[in-house]
Short mmCIF file of all heavy atoms in Angstrom, two decimals:
data_model
loop_
_atom_site.label_atom_id
_atom_site.label_comp_id
_atom_site.label_asym_id
_atom_site.label_seq_id
_atom_site.Cartn_x
_atom_site.Cartn_y
_atom_site.Cartn_z
N SER A 62 4.16 27.93 -3.61
CA SER A 62 4.11 27.65 -5.04
C SER A 62 5.42 28.03 -5.75
O SER A 62 5.53 27.90 -6.97
CB SER A 62 2.97 28.42 -5.71
OG SER A 62 3.13 29.80 -5.56
N ASP A 74 16.00 18.22 -5.12
CA ASP A 74 14.93 17.85 -6.02
C ASP A 74 13.65 18.45 -5.43
O ASP A 74 13.48 18.48 -4.22
CB ASP A 74 14.73 16.32 -6.06
CG ASP A 74 15.73 15.61 -6.99
OD1 ASP A 74 16.56 16.30 -7.62
OD2 ASP A 74 15.65 14.38 -7.06
N ILE A 75 12.77 18.93 -6.30
CA ILE A 75 11.55 19.61 -5.89
C ILE A 75 10.33 18.97 -6.56
O ILE A 75 10.40 18.71 -7.77
CB ILE A 75 11.58 21.11 -6.33
CG1 ILE A 75 12.85 21.81 -5.82
CG2 ILE A 75 10.33 21.85 -5.88
CD1 ILE A 75 12.97 21.92 -4.35
N ALA A 76 9.27 18.76 -5.80
CA ALA A 76 8.00 18.34 -6.36
C ALA A 76 6.95 19.35 -5.94
O ALA A 76 6.81 19.64 -4.76
CB ALA A 76 7.63 16.94 -5.86
N TYR A 77 6.27 19.91 -6.92
CA TYR A 77 5.18 20.85 -6.67
C TYR A 77 3.88 20.04 -6.62
O TYR A 77 3.62 19.27 -7.52
CB TYR A 77 5.10 21.90 -7.77
CG TYR A 77 6.26 22.85 -7.73
CD1 TYR A 77 7.38 22.66 -8.53
CD2 TYR A 77 6.22 23.99 -6.93
CE1 TYR A 77 8.44 23.55 -8.50
CE2 TYR A 77 7.27 24.87 -6.91
CZ TYR A 77 8.38 24.64 -7.68
OH TYR A 77 9.44 25.53 -7.65
N LEU A 78 3.08 20.28 -5.58
CA LEU A 78 1.84 19.53 -5.37
C LEU A 78 0.63 20.45 -5.42
O LEU A 78 0.69 21.59 -4.97
CB LEU A 78 1.88 18.82 -3.99
CG LEU A 78 3.15 18.05 -3.64
CD1 LEU A 78 3.06 17.53 -2.22
CD2 LEU A 78 3.36 16.92 -4.63
N ASP A 79 -0.49 19.91 -5.92
CA ASP A 79 -1.74 20.69 -5.85
C ASP A 79 -2.40 20.44 -4.53
O ASP A 79 -1.83 19.77 -3.64
CB ASP A 79 -2.65 20.34 -7.05
CG ASP A 79 -3.23 18.94 -7.01
OD1 ASP A 79 -3.10 18.25 -5.99
OD2 ASP A 79 -3.81 18.56 -8.05
N SER A 83 -1.47 15.83 -5.58
CA SER A 83 -0.98 15.31 -6.88
C SER A 83 0.22 16.15 -7.35
O SER A 83 0.23 17.39 -7.23
CB SER A 83 -2.07 15.41 -7.94
OG SER A 83 -3.09 14.49 -7.66
N VAL A 84 1.22 15.46 -7.87
CA VAL A 84 2.42 16.12 -8.34
C VAL A 84 2.11 16.86 -9.64
O VAL A 84 1.70 16.25 -10.64
CB VAL A 84 3.59 15.10 -8.55
CG1 VAL A 84 4.81 15.80 -9.10
CG2 VAL A 84 3.89 14.39 -7.24
N LEU A 85 2.30 18.18 -9.65
CA LEU A 85 2.09 18.99 -10.81
C LEU A 85 3.37 19.13 -11.67
O LEU A 85 3.31 19.20 -12.88
CB LEU A 85 1.64 20.42 -10.44
CG LEU A 85 0.33 20.52 -9.69
CD1 LEU A 85 0.11 21.96 -9.21
CD2 LEU A 85 -0.81 20.10 -10.59
N LYS A 86 4.51 19.13 -10.98
CA LYS A 86 5.78 19.39 -11.66
C LYS A 86 6.91 18.89 -10.76
O LYS A 86 6.81 18.98 -9.53
CB LYS A 86 5.93 20.91 -11.88
CG LYS A 86 7.24 21.39 -12.45
CD LYS A 86 7.21 22.91 -12.59
CE LYS A 86 8.51 23.49 -13.00
NZ LYS A 86 8.49 24.97 -13.09
N THR A 87 7.94 18.35 -11.40
CA THR A 87 9.15 17.99 -10.67
C THR A 87 10.34 18.74 -11.26
O THR A 87 10.39 19.01 -12.45
CB THR A 87 9.45 16.46 -10.75
OG1 THR A 87 9.47 16.08 -12.12
CG2 THR A 87 8.40 15.67 -10.00
N VAL A 88 11.24 19.14 -10.41
CA VAL A 88 12.48 19.78 -10.80
C VAL A 88 13.62 19.01 -10.16
O VAL A 88 13.65 18.90 -8.93
CB VAL A 88 12.53 21.26 -10.36
CG1 VAL A 88 13.82 21.92 -10.82
CG2 VAL A 88 11.31 22.02 -10.89
N TYR A 89 14.47 18.43 -10.96
CA TYR A 89 15.54 17.61 -10.44
C TYR A 89 16.86 18.38 -10.39
O TYR A 89 17.19 19.14 -11.29
CB TYR A 89 15.73 16.37 -11.35
CG TYR A 89 14.50 15.51 -11.45
CD1 TYR A 89 13.73 15.48 -12.60
CD2 TYR A 89 14.09 14.74 -10.36
CE1 TYR A 89 12.61 14.69 -12.67
CE2 TYR A 89 12.96 13.94 -10.43
CZ TYR A 89 12.22 13.93 -11.61
OH TYR A 89 11.08 13.15 -11.68
N MET A 96 15.86 29.96 -8.89
CA MET A 96 14.48 30.11 -8.50
C MET A 96 13.64 29.15 -9.32
O MET A 96 14.02 28.78 -10.43
CB MET A 96 13.99 31.54 -8.73
CG MET A 96 14.70 32.56 -7.89
SD MET A 96 14.16 34.26 -8.28
CE MET A 96 12.49 34.20 -7.70
N SER A 97 12.53 28.72 -8.76
CA SER A 97 11.61 27.81 -9.43
C SER A 97 10.22 28.07 -8.94
O SER A 97 10.02 28.40 -7.76
CB SER A 97 12.01 26.37 -9.18
OG SER A 97 11.15 25.48 -9.82
N ALA A 98 9.22 27.91 -9.82
CA ALA A 98 7.83 28.12 -9.44
C ALA A 98 6.94 27.22 -10.28
O ALA A 98 7.34 26.70 -11.30
CB ALA A 98 7.45 29.59 -9.67
N CYS A 99 5.69 27.08 -9.80
CA CYS A 99 4.69 26.29 -10.51
C CYS A 99 3.32 26.88 -10.25
O CYS A 99 2.85 26.87 -9.11
CB CYS A 99 4.73 24.84 -10.05
SG CYS A 99 3.49 23.80 -10.84
N MET A 100 2.72 27.43 -11.30
CA MET A 100 1.39 28.01 -11.15
C MET A 100 0.40 26.92 -10.73
O MET A 100 0.42 25.81 -11.27
CB MET A 100 0.93 28.64 -12.47
CG MET A 100 -0.31 29.45 -12.34
SD MET A 100 -0.78 30.23 -13.88
CE MET A 100 0.53 31.43 -14.07
N ALA A 102 0.34 25.44 -7.81
CA ALA A 102 0.83 24.60 -6.72
C ALA A 102 0.35 25.10 -5.38
O ALA A 102 0.27 26.31 -5.13
CB ALA A 102 2.36 24.55 -6.73
N ALA A 104 1.66 23.29 -2.51
CA ALA A 104 2.75 22.88 -1.62
C ALA A 104 3.96 22.47 -2.43
O ALA A 104 3.86 22.19 -3.61
CB ALA A 104 2.30 21.71 -0.77
N VAL A 105 5.11 22.49 -1.77
CA VAL A 105 6.36 22.05 -2.38
C VAL A 105 7.00 21.03 -1.49
O VAL A 105 7.09 21.22 -0.26
CB VAL A 105 7.32 23.28 -2.55
CG1 VAL A 105 8.68 22.82 -3.03
CG2 VAL A 105 6.73 24.30 -3.50
N LEU A 106 7.46 19.95 -2.08
CA LEU A 106 8.24 18.93 -1.38
C LEU A 106 9.68 19.06 -1.77
O LEU A 106 10.01 18.94 -2.97
CB LEU A 106 7.71 17.53 -1.71
CG LEU A 106 8.37 16.39 -0.99
CD1 LEU A 106 8.06 16.43 0.53
CD2 LEU A 106 7.96 15.05 -1.57
N LEU A 113 13.91 12.06 -5.61
CA LEU A 113 12.65 11.87 -6.29
C LEU A 113 12.76 10.86 -7.42
O LEU A 113 11.91 10.00 -7.56
CB LEU A 113 12.14 13.22 -6.87
CG LEU A 113 11.70 14.27 -5.87
CD1 LEU A 113 11.24 15.53 -6.57
CD2 LEU A 113 10.64 13.73 -4.91
N VAL A 118 9.13 9.25 -8.27
CA VAL A 118 8.11 10.26 -8.17
C VAL A 118 7.95 10.97 -9.51
O VAL A 118 8.91 11.48 -10.07
CB VAL A 118 8.42 11.26 -7.04
CG1 VAL A 118 7.40 12.42 -7.01
CG2 VAL A 118 8.47 10.55 -5.69
N VAL A 119 6.72 10.99 -10.03
CA VAL A 119 6.45 11.56 -11.35
C VAL A 119 5.19 12.43 -11.32
O VAL A 119 4.38 12.32 -10.43
CB VAL A 119 6.28 10.46 -12.43
CG1 VAL A 119 7.58 9.69 -12.64
CG2 VAL A 119 5.14 9.53 -12.08
N ARG A 120 5.04 13.23 -12.35
CA ARG A 120 3.88 14.09 -12.51
C ARG A 120 2.59 13.24 -12.50
O ARG A 120 2.56 12.19 -13.13
CB ARG A 120 3.99 14.85 -13.84
CG ARG A 120 2.94 15.86 -14.03
CD ARG A 120 3.23 16.72 -15.24
NE ARG A 120 2.22 17.72 -15.33
CZ ARG A 120 1.58 18.03 -16.46
NH1 ARG A 120 1.88 17.40 -17.57
NH2 ARG A 120 0.69 18.99 -16.45
N GLY A 121 1.60 13.70 -11.79
CA GLY A 121 0.33 13.00 -11.70
C GLY A 121 0.24 12.04 -10.50
O GLY A 121 -0.86 11.64 -10.12
N GLN A 122 1.35 11.68 -9.93
CA GLN A 122 1.35 10.78 -8.76
C GLN A 122 0.82 11.54 -7.56
O GLN A 122 1.08 12.73 -7.37
CB GLN A 122 2.78 10.32 -8.49
CG GLN A 122 2.95 9.38 -7.32
CD GLN A 122 4.37 8.91 -7.19
OE1 GLN A 122 5.28 9.37 -7.90
NE2 GLN A 122 4.60 8.00 -6.30
N LEU A 124 0.85 12.21 -3.60
CA LEU A 124 1.65 12.03 -2.39
C LEU A 124 0.80 12.40 -1.22
O LEU A 124 0.02 13.36 -1.28
CB LEU A 124 2.90 12.89 -2.47
CG LEU A 124 3.81 12.65 -3.66
CD1 LEU A 124 5.04 13.56 -3.56
CD2 LEU A 124 4.23 11.22 -3.79
#
Side-chain angles (χ1 to χ4, degrees):
S62 62
D74 280 358
I75 306 295
Y77 290 95
L78 312 176
D79 69 10
S83 291
V84 177
L85 298 173
K86 175 181 173 181
T87 54
V88 181
Y89 301 107
M96 295 177 68
S97 179
C99 178
M100 190 177 291
V105 173
L106 182 67
L113 292 181
V118 174
V119 295
R120 187 172 183 226
Q122 181 177 6
L124 303 181

